[in-house]
Amino acid sequence: DSGVTQTPKHLITATGQRVTLRCSPRSGDLSVYWYQQSLDQGLQFLIQYYNGEERAKGNILERFSAQQFPDLHSELNLSSLELGDSALYFCASSGGGEPYEQYFGPGTRLTVT
Amino acid sequence: SQKIEQNSEALNIQEGKTATLTCNYTNYSPAYLQWYRQDPGRGPVFLLLIRENEKEKRKERLKVTFDTTLKQSLFHITASQPADSATYLCAYPLEPGGYNKLIFGAGTRLAVHP
């Protein structure tokens, strides 16, 4: 158990809908990262937050947004969903600063029908 | 743009042998490389980090090397066991100074047979 929690575990929704994925980092970790993993793309970095502020951005679509709250939990919002958004979404956390290892949560499997 | 390549074909080995996985990168030399293990449907688990000034790093049966001339990292599992069967991912920073903004390889699937 990495100490990172993600909810929900599974999510099935229709095209055009909006969903919110939630992540709680390990106790004491200030950085939260979001990744998307699909069969044909591998693990893709989406966005990083550090202590409530956006720190780095990857190939995150404009339809996707994220935020980190004062209690350090984070949410990833996906809107106007398309079939191609079906994937595993992982959250990871680390201590920030030096190149610390990242601890990944169990993921949320999103299926868009 | 940065590219990271891992052998996409599965690696099948016999229990007790040493498994060697390869990670090649292009363009700039990263300050460090990380290796993760991922089981089907689960999140990656951190294994080892090696910095550019370290030639080799060990942890129990695991060994990682980092050759900045060849732009390559090798990941070894000695005395492999069926429980080592998983996909192994290498990762490094997407850009210089972007310490934790990582690019991951597609992973190499390792199958250890009894």
Side-chain angles (χ1 to χ4, degrees), chain A residues 29-95:
Chain A
D29 282 354
L30 299 179
S31 272
V32 168
Y33 312 79
W34 285 98
Y35 291 87
Q36 179 192 58
Q37 187 173 42
S38 54
L39 279 173
D40 57 345
Q41 289 286 330
L43 199 60
Q44 300 287 314
F45 169 77
L46 295 177
I47 197 163
Q48 177 199 0
Y49 278 83
Y50 176 80
N51 202 20
E53 305 263 332
E54 183 184 302
R55 172 67 68 90
K57 232 172 178 174
N59 296 326
I60 187 167
L61 299 171
E62 282 191 20
R63 300 183 285 110
F64 296 1
S65 66
Q67 54 184 327
Q68 186 179 28
F69 295 87
D71 67 352
L72 301 178
H73 92 271
S74 178
E75 292 180 357
L76 178 68
N77 300 295
L78 315 176
S79 61
S80 302
L81 285 167
E82 302 174 359
L83 294 178
D85 297 327
S86 296
L88 264 170
Y89 290 84
F90 289 105
C91 163
S93 74
S94 77

Side-chain angles (χ1 to χ4, degrees), chain B residues 19-33:
Chain B
T20 298
L21 286 67
T22 304
C23 177
N24 295 298
Y25 57 91
T26 61
N27 298 339
Y28 88 98
S29 277
Y32 66 90
L33 271 158

Side-chain angles (χ1 to χ4, degrees), chain A residues 33 37 57 99 101-102, chain B residues 32 36 38 46 49 100-101:
Chain A
Y33 312 79
Q37 187 173 42
K57 232 172 178 174
E101 58 268 29
Q102 296 184 18
Chain B
Y32 66 90
Y36 290 78
Q38 186 173 26
F46 172 79
L49 180 153
N100 277 329
K101 186 177 169 182

